Amino acid sequence: MKGYNFAYLDEQTKRMIRRALLKAVAIPGHQVPFGSREMPLPYGWGTGGIQVTAAVLGEADVLKVIDQGADDTTNAVSIRRFFGRTAGVATTTHTTEATVIQTRHRIPEVALREDQIIVYQVPQPEPLSKLEPSRAETRRMHGLAEYGAMHVKLYEDITRFGHVAISYDYPVMVNGRYLMAPSPIPAFDNPKMHMMPALQLFGAGREQRIYAVPPWTAVRSLDFEDHPFRTTRAPHACGLCGAADSYLDEVVTDDRGGRLFVCSDTDFCEGRRAAGHLGSEAGAETGTDMAAE
Amino acid sequence: MADETLLSARGLSLSFGAIPALVGVDADLWPGEVLAVVGESGSGKTTLLNVLSGRMAPHSGVTWYRDPEGVLHDVHAMPMPALRALHRSDWGFVHQNPRDSLRMGVTAGGNVGERLMAQGMRHYGRIRAEAIDWLRQVEIDADRVDHLPRTFSGGMLQRLQIARTLVTHPRLVFMDEPTGGLDVSVQARLLDLIRGLVARLDIAVVLVTHDLAVARLLAHRIMVMQRGVVVETGLTDQVLDDPQHPYTQLLVSSVLQA
């Protein structure tokens, strides 16, 4: 910790971010501008999430960082070590032990609790960005709750593909008022945001926006009455732990078409294996075996 | 009768710097009536349309709109949400260039359905059925519903824009040179179509055109503008057959006879 203020950012900056966070919590789903700082990692790697985490982190907190559900990927490891060094807080890979979880592209499979905070890394906070290029106009659309254009996008998907073909960053209505981009989590995770007991914070560093969903807030995925929102997952069980209800990653294992479907949430998968659940590929291709090959 | 007008404007004035675009313009529009505004380029026709529809604010003057419940609204003092809601439902705007209002990357069905979805319709099947019905009404083949507008001809684009505007059954439609830039045979068909739809759906129209033939075909009443001033107003046939003002006489006599 020597040479750094607690959690890297100076106190004035943290205060500024907390003010933005308070506004964001007060107006669920509304994007609040904030003075995003340069962070010692590239844009797109979680500069927004890392600033929000720095602003909410306390000395007693236990931090978990995941990237696409995994605790052991570059982004997750480097941000976890960053806060281990600059804040000296305890870190963990276990979802249930963490008080603050910073995430990129997934929500953990285990249901979160009231005493936890989940921080999302957001590349593009504006859900209407692809439909309306002008930010002045999208702000007006949010202000007047004119979200018909978003349904035009869904209409086009059903017309072309027979179903809504948005597989990640599926737009949601928060508290029946604001249209929100849930960050690029799979649509599979959208239902977990609805009435979540944990506080959900979203940080977009490059776009300089913070937004939030307070605990126990309604989050509804957009749909049509005759084409209701549906989640999709690969029609397999996890090869390692046998889970049939978790979100799966497809891993190419050789150059002869071999494939392995495994839980994208590594902590969830390890927990199940430790409890004795085994998938069809377990033993043959566990993480250690793959490393040894 | 005067207290039943749909739209009525008094003393509208607006100038762009030293150039007067509107000088004390009065206008009245009754339900189901087609009012043509004619005049040469730069006479303030389009400015008048923009002011009447609340898209521009005049420097002085007032415009009243009577909603279906009979309540009067001052168009220029209306809060923006209310005005935008009006433009989405009770009013429509047909641009000279359909590309200004259509979404070129969205299918014909999506374009027609947009206003329905903006009004809160959330049933895909019904939106699509309505879109197909409207394409049929503007004489576009139902099997083009999933095609992109960029594959449409100029006349079809204009008809698509009209379908998209009329789908919410507006009571008042503003049209800015709806037949401009189309060849003569397409123009004739489009005029026929607009005349039929307007009569059948009992829509009031403020129509801006420089083409007296268009005004003759569509309009019940006509307003002639010159340099921001309304120089003559009256029933279409009366004004065109027996013009009183020198400028109107000039305008009528300068129409080419084929």
Side-chain angles (χ1 to χ4, degrees):
Chain A
M1 269 185 77
K2 214 169 150 216
Y4 290 110
N5 187 37
F6 177 77
Y8 186 77
L9 290 176
D10 61 282
E11 293 303 314
Q12 280 302 334
T13 302
K14 285 199 260 179
R15 231 166 294 183
M16 174 271 293
I17 295 173
R18 286 175 199 145
R19 277 197 295 271
L21 285 171
L22 286 174
K23 273 189 212 168
V25 170
I27 316 171
H30 172 63
Q31 301 164 43
V32 181
F34 79 111
S36 179
R37 300 291 192 252
E38 292 258 357
M39 295 302 284
L41 78 168
Y43 288 123
W45 283 53
T47 50
I50 205 171
Q51 289 178 76
V52 171
T53 303
V56 298
L57 213 54
E59 280 171 13
D61 272 318
V62 181
L63 179 68
K64 170 185 163 83
V65 184
I66 50 175
D67 171 8
Q68 305 274 10
D71 294 279
D72 52 6
T73 46
T74 317
N75 200 204
V77 170
S78 45
I79 293 176
R80 194 162 57 230
R81 279 178 52 202
F82 174 81
F83 281 115
R85 276 198 199 157
T86 60
V89 294
T91 58
T92 181
T93 60
H94 298 302
T95 306
T96 47
E97 288 171 12
T99 56
V100 176
I101 301 170
Q102 183 175 333
T103 176
R104 172 173 179 266
H105 299 195
R106 270 316 303 279
I107 297 174
E109 302 287 354
V110 177
L112 301 181
R113 303 182 310 261
E114 267 179 341
D115 59 343
Q116 292 178 311
I117 298 175
I118 180 164
V119 178
Y120 298 79
Q121 301 170 195
V122 183
Q124 178 50 266
E126 179 51 72
L128 298 163
S129 64
K130 290 216 176 80
L131 302 165
E132 174 53 61
S134 155
R135 285 298 177 273
E137 182 60 21
T138 56
R139 272 203 296 278
R140 206 169 294 137
M141 289 161 86
H142 281 295
L144 304 176
E146 286 180 3
Y147 295 136
M150 198 72 233
H151 269 91
V152 174
K153 156 84 179 125
L154 302 193
Y155 174 95
E156 288 294 291
D157 269 13
I158 297 173
T159 302
R160 281 181 204 181
F161 309 113
H163 59 97
V164 177
I166 310 172
S167 54
Y168 65 94
D169 211 354
Y170 192 110
V172 291
M173 282 298 282
V174 178
N175 206 21
R177 174 59 181 84
Y178 279 96
L179 186 72
M180 186 185 91
S183 86
I185 59 170
F188 177 87
D189 282 342
N190 270 18
K192 294 177 187 162
M193 307 179 91
H194 180 64
M195 290 293 166
M196 186 192 272
L199 172 62
Q200 307 177 67
L201 304 175
F202 298 77
R206 182 182 44 209
E207 302 290 329
Q208 315 196 324
R209 291 289 183 277
I210 280 173
Y211 51 103
V213 177
W216 307 109
T217 302
V219 176
R220 207 175 51 76
S221 306
L222 292 190
D223 60 2
F224 284 102
E225 289 158 21
D226 49 346
H227 286 265
F229 173 77
R230 265 194 216 101
T231 59
T232 51
R233 68 183 285 278
H236 300 275
C238 171
L240 300 180
C241 77
D245 55 353
S246 64
Y247 193 72
L248 300 176
D249 282 344
E250 183 178 5
V251 184
V252 176
T253 53
D254 53 38
D255 57 0
R256 296 181 300 278
R259 271 161 177 52
L260 175 64
F261 286 91
V262 291
C263 295
S264 92
D265 186 339
T266 51
D267 174 55
F268 175 76
C269 199
E270 276 159 23
R272 274 180 57 88
R273 273 180 283 157
H277 299 280
L278 286 180
S280 54
E281 311 288 327
E285 306 219 37
T286 61
T288 46
D289 284 354
M290 269 153 68
E293 271 174 23
Chain B
M1 192 67 185
D3 60 340
E4 285 166 24
T5 54
L6 189 64
L7 195 72
S8 101
R10 288 292 171 270
L12 294 179
S13 291
L14 179 64
S15 53
F16 300 114
I19 305 160
L22 297 176
V23 182
V25 173
D26 296 345
D28 286 303
L29 186 70
W30 279 269
E33 181 190 46
V34 180
L35 172 68
V37 183
V38 301
E40 62 193 3
S41 293
S43 59
K45 306 185 299 276
T46 300
T47 305
L48 178 63
L49 198 68
N50 284 333
V51 168
L52 287 178
S53 62
R55 291 150 60 98
M56 276 167 98
H59 290 158
S60 64
V62 64
T63 307
W64 295 100
Y65 167 69
R66 188 184 303 274
D67 72 12
E69 279 80 50
V71 183
L72 281 176
H73 299 275
D74 181 347
V75 170
H76 306 298
M78 237 175 170
M80 194 175 59
L83 188 63
R84 282 174 71 118
L86 207 54
H87 270 285
R88 279 203 308 275
S89 54
D90 260 12
W91 290 7
F93 206 107
V94 175
H95 296 261
Q96 175 171 9
N97 184 351
R99 289 171 185 82
D100 290 348
S101 90
L102 293 172
R103 288 178 187 273
M104 296 307 281
V106 167
T107 60
N111 266 301
V112 178
E114 178 169 0
R115 273 166 74 106
L116 296 174
M117 291 183 251
Q119 287 193 341
M121 199 157 163
R122 293 289 179 263
H123 192 285
Y124 176 82
R126 279 205 284 277
I127 292 168
R128 194 174 163 78
E130 190 100 341
I132 290 174
D133 180 49
W134 269 98
L135 289 184
R136 207 176 35 72
Q137 293 200 42
V138 297
E139 298 166 10
I140 297 176
D141 266 354
D143 54 11
R144 308 268 340 230
V145 65
D146 295 337
H147 292 196
L148 291 179
R150 80 167 82 96
T151 65
F152 285 20
S153 70
M156 283 171 79
L157 281 179
Q158 193 56 279
R159 279 179 277 147
L160 182 61
Q161 187 190 194
I162 288 167
R164 168 188 164 88
T165 308
L166 298 188
V167 67
T168 53
H169 298 281
R171 303 167 67 218
L172 171 58
V173 176
F174 300 93
M175 293 189 184
D176 190 2
E177 306 267 13
T179 58
L182 299 175
D183 78 54
V184 185
S185 63
V186 176
Q187 256 191 39
R189 254 181 82 198
L190 187 66
L191 286 173
D192 228 28
L193 180 80
I194 294 177
R195 190 165 58 166
L197 285 172
V198 164
R200 187 158 53 81
L201 301 169
D202 201 23
I203 302 169
V205 178
V206 182
L207 171 80
V208 160
T209 180
H210 63 267
D211 188 338
L212 291 182
V214 170
R216 171 86 88 174
L217 256 163
L218 287 180
H220 302 124
R221 279 194 313 126
I222 200 166
M223 268 167 72
V224 183
M225 287 185 75
Q226 184 192 24
R227 294 197 202 103
V229 182
V230 177
V231 294
E232 188 162 353
T233 174
L235 296 175
T236 305
D237 290 343
Q238 179 192 329
V239 171
L240 294 183
D241 292 343
D242 182 20
Q244 301 295 309
H245 190 274
Y247 177 71
T248 317
Q249 291 167 355
L250 182 74
L251 210 58
V252 171
S253 65
S254 62
V255 172
L256 291 175
Q257 300 295 328

